[in-house]
């Protein structure tokens, strides 16, 4: 079992993941092992949040982590942290899987489904991780209902902005704008720089 | 705000949000990638929004299945890494040049994605990971595409998607494929260039990556290439095709 304290590193040493990723890019397998231990929980959790199904999530998370090894040389620290690079890849793969597995019609079309709180069946004992979760939840609550709905449909459901617009019955331009200003609010609320 | 919906220049900056959330289709994504290459404010905003999205993701961390660790470590032990673009250190005094490199990289990725659009969507609209897949050789493909005589042809390959990009003047060609099934260890895929009189010349063996993708430069003399084909051969490859092609496309 991987301890939770190793997963939520955003408030600790933000450079550790980046450093390990740069070492991984040079073929350092030991560095990759450490990187795995820091990031596997976040990758798996994110993929599972999107895909729900545990075995599919494990498959995709595994693919992502192998891709992290394979493509590590592609990481450019000037464009963001190692953590962002890895989780961006994880999110994209999860969304790709959702989109190829289901047509939009098969997805939950009612917005209500997406607005539920995360239904994790595990109990995290780690205080810091709980803190991080609460921060995100609180930041989400500060959004307007439309902003929040748009961000949640895109992030957790893999909706394109066109689908977001259709589902929320708002013009496409508004959907784009809400996705952007929603994220900007979250960025400021979470203190992302 | 909605008044700008059809005003491309004003509207494109709005795409940073949907882009960071993976909520764009391929064509818009390529368009925004091209825009990013030249718009520094959008670059900064996009990196910040990507970091924000990563924070949302982090909140969902949970313990990964223990068996996954061994599986991943076993797999990486036999997975070759892409070649680093530069072995250069990442000290801050090199930031400027790295920034320029990043910009070129974005341009190259955009060029590659543009091929997708030209080729009526080489990989189809759903196959968004083509962007990641292609960036390894994106500079090479982009250089090839920049050649005025370049031909891009889709090459149906069973359920897989593939395309061949060829520049006769440069004497270079590449095959890009996605969704290619893995083969047993004793077999390999092999590329062939076919002359107008039907002669098949070996153009290199290849196997797809772990996610079923491949970007392969064709080997050998391309002069007189009228078609490109792929066969399945015994490991190590053959000097003449041993079976019917699983894919072929006329390049003339």
């Amino acid at each position: 079992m991987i301890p939770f304290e190793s997963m939520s590193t955003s408030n600790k040493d933000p450079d550790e993941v980046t450093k390990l990723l740069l070492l991984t890019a040079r073929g350092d397998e030991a560095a990759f092992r450490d990187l795995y231990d820091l990031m596997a929980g976040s990758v798996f959790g994110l993929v599972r949040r999107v895909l729900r199904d545990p075995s599919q999530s494990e498959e995709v998370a595994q693919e992502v982590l192998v891709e992290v090894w394979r493509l590590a040389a592609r990481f450019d620290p000037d464009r963001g942290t190692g953590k962002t690079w890895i989780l961006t890849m994880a999110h994209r793969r999860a969304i790709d899987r959702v989109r190829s597995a289901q047509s939009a019609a098969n997805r939950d079309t009612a917005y209500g489904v997406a607005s539920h709180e995360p239904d994790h069946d595990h109990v995290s004992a780690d205080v810091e991780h709980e803190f991080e979760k609460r921060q995100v939840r609180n930041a989400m609550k500060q959004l307007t209902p439309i902003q929040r709905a748009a961000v949640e449909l895109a992030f957790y459901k893999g909706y394109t902005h066109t689908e977001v617009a259709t589902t929320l019955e708002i013009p496409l331009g508004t959907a784009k704008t809400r996705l952007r200003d929603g994220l900007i609010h979250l960025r400021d609320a979470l203190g992302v720089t | 705000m909605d008044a700008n919906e059809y005003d491309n220049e004003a509207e494109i900056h709005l795409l940073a949000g949907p882009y960071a959330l993976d909520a764009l289709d391929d064509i818009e994504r390529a368009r925004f990638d091209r825009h990013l290459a030249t718009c520094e404010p959008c670059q900064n905003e996009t990196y910040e929004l990507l970091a924000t999205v990563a924070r949302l993701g982090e909140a969902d961390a949970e313990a990964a299945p223990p068996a996954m660790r061994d599986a991943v470590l076993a797999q990486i032990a036999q997975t070759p890494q892409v070649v680093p673009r530069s072995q250069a250190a990442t000290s801050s005094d090199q930031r400027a040049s790295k920034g320029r490199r990043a910009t070129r990289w974005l341009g190259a990725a955009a060029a590659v994605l543009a091929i997708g659009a030209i080729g009526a969507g080489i990989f189809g609209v759903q196959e968004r990971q083509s962007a990641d897949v292609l960036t390894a050789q994106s500079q090479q493909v982009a250089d090839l595409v920049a050649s005025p005589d370049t031909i891009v042809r889709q090459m149906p390959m069973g359920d897989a998607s593939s395309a061949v990009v060829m520049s006769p003047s440069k004497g270079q060609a590449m095959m890009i494929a996605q969704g290619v099934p893995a083969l047993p260890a004793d077999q390999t895929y092999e590329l062939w260039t076919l002359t107008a009189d039907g002669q098949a010349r070996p153009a290199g063996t290849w196997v797809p990556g772990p996610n079923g993708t491949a970007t392969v430069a064709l080997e050998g003399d391309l002069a007189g290439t009228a078609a490109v084909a792929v066969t399945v051969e015994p490991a190590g490859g053959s000097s003449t095709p041993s079976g019917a092609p699983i894919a072929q496309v006329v390049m003339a």
Side-chain angles (χ1 to χ4, degrees):
Chain A
M1 197 61 104
I2 297 146
F4 274 110
E5 49 271 345
S6 66
M7 290 175 180
S8 181
T9 52
S10 57
N11 299 317
K12 287 182 191 170
D13 182 3
D15 285 322
E16 189 61 20
V17 168
T18 300
K19 274 190 274 184
L20 289 171
L21 185 54
L22 290 168
L23 289 171
T24 298
R26 299 189 195 130
D28 185 336
E29 290 191 31
F32 179 80
R33 276 195 294 277
D34 291 344
L35 183 63
Y36 179 97
D37 291 339
L38 284 178
M39 291 303 298
S42 295
V43 169
F44 178 72
L46 168 54
V47 171
R48 193 163 114 73
R49 182 74 168 84
V50 174
L51 294 180
R52 303 273 162 166
D53 177 66
S55 68
Q56 246 196 66
S57 303
E58 181 172 348
E59 189 188 316
V60 171
Q62 194 172 319
E63 257 172 50
V64 169
L65 288 156
V66 173
E67 284 294 87
V68 166
W69 161 262
R70 197 175 73 82
L71 301 176
R74 205 69 58 67
F75 168 65
D76 181 347
D78 284 354
R79 299 173 62 196
T81 64
K83 191 178 286 176
T84 296
W85 188 78
I86 291 168
L87 293 180
T88 297
M89 193 186 293
H91 187 250
R92 193 170 307 167
R93 290 299 148 90
I95 296 298
D96 281 340
R97 178 64 71 100
V98 166
R99 290 195 185 150
S100 60
Q102 305 166 280
S103 72
N106 290 341
R107 281 183 237 156
D108 306 305
T109 45
Y111 162 63
V113 179
S115 65
H116 289 158
E117 294 296 334
D119 61 350
H120 293 299
D121 50 17
H122 71 278
V123 179
S124 164
D126 183 76
V127 175
E128 197 183 336
H129 178 63
E130 284 302 328
F131 179 71
E132 171 74 20
K133 269 168 77 170
R134 191 167 311 133
Q135 268 195 315
V136 166
R137 207 175 298 150
N138 287 341
M140 281 283 194
K141 282 184 185 150
Q142 291 169 30
L143 300 182
T144 67
I146 291 285
Q147 281 175 337
R148 180 171 180 181
V151 168
E152 289 188 336
L153 285 172
F155 185 76
Y156 297 119
K157 292 280 173 183
Y159 279 37
T160 64
H161 60 26
T162 314
E163 292 168 333
V164 167
T166 309
T167 306
L168 300 179
E169 297 178 328
I170 54 178
L172 185 55
T174 308
K176 289 172 185 170
T177 309
R178 292 297 91 87
L179 287 171
R180 175 163 172 261
D181 56 33
L183 273 188
I184 287 173
H185 272 101
L186 289 173
R187 177 194 70 191
D188 296 343
L190 294 170
V192 175
T193 49
Chain B
M1 201 67 76
D2 293 342
N4 289 333
E5 190 171 338
Y6 300 105
D7 178 351
N8 286 347
E9 277 317 299
E11 178 217 30
I12 193 145
H13 303 281
L14 297 179
L15 293 183
Y19 180 91
L21 282 160
D22 293 319
L24 294 179
D25 65 38
D26 271 356
I27 290 171
E28 288 168 309
R29 191 176 184 85
R31 191 171 138 232
F32 192 71
D33 268 329
R34 278 195 299 277
H35 174 70
L36 264 188
T38 57
C39 179
E40 206 179 309
C42 276
Q43 281 175 22
N44 294 334
E45 180 174 296
T46 300
Y47 301 158
E48 284 175 9
L49 296 188
L50 283 168
T52 304
V53 170
R55 280 288 292 282
L56 301 186
E58 244 185 297
D60 292 312
E62 58 181 286
M68 195 171 94
R69 191 175 194 271
D70 289 341
V72 168
L73 295 181
Q75 225 175 317
I76 67 124
Q78 39 186 314
T79 301
Q81 294 182 292
V82 299
V83 181
R85 253 182 287 282
S86 160
Q87 292 288 358
T90 52
S91 58
S92 55
D93 57 327
Q94 288 176 309
R95 281 188 161 248
S97 72
K98 283 181 67 65
R100 280 196 296 278
R101 197 151 48 78
T103 304
R104 280 204 305 277
W105 179 84
L106 283 167
V112 170
L113 280 165
I115 306 170
I118 292 163
I122 291 175
F123 299 117
V125 171
Q126 295 290 335
E127 307 285 358
R128 292 143 44 85
Q129 69 201 48
S130 56
D132 294 331
V133 168
L134 295 179
T135 45
Q137 286 95 351
S138 64
Q139 190 61 57
Q140 212 177 338
V141 176
D143 289 348
L144 202 50
V145 170
S147 182
D149 65 338
T150 295
I151 306 163
V152 182
R153 292 278 184 275
Q154 287 185 266
M155 178 167 68
M157 191 187 297
D159 291 337
S161 344
S162 78
V164 178
V165 183
M166 182 170 86
S167 162
S169 70
K170 289 192 161 199
Q172 287 175 11
M174 297 188 79
M175 184 211 63
I176 306 160
Q178 183 158 305
V180 182
L183 291 173
D186 60 347
Q187 291 184 335
T188 182
Y189 291 103
E190 186 160 359
L191 276 159
W192 306 90
T193 56
L194 309 176
T195 58
D197 59 5
Q199 186 201 345
R201 300 170 298 187
T205 62
W206 56 281
V207 291
N211 52 359
T213 61
T215 303
V216 187
L218 274 68
E219 297 166 7
D221 184 10
L222 296 180
T225 293
V228 169
V230 176
T231 61
V232 175
E233 299 293 334
S238 310
S239 53
T240 56
S242 48
I246 58 162
Q248 55 186 328
V249 64
V250 173
M251 295 305 291

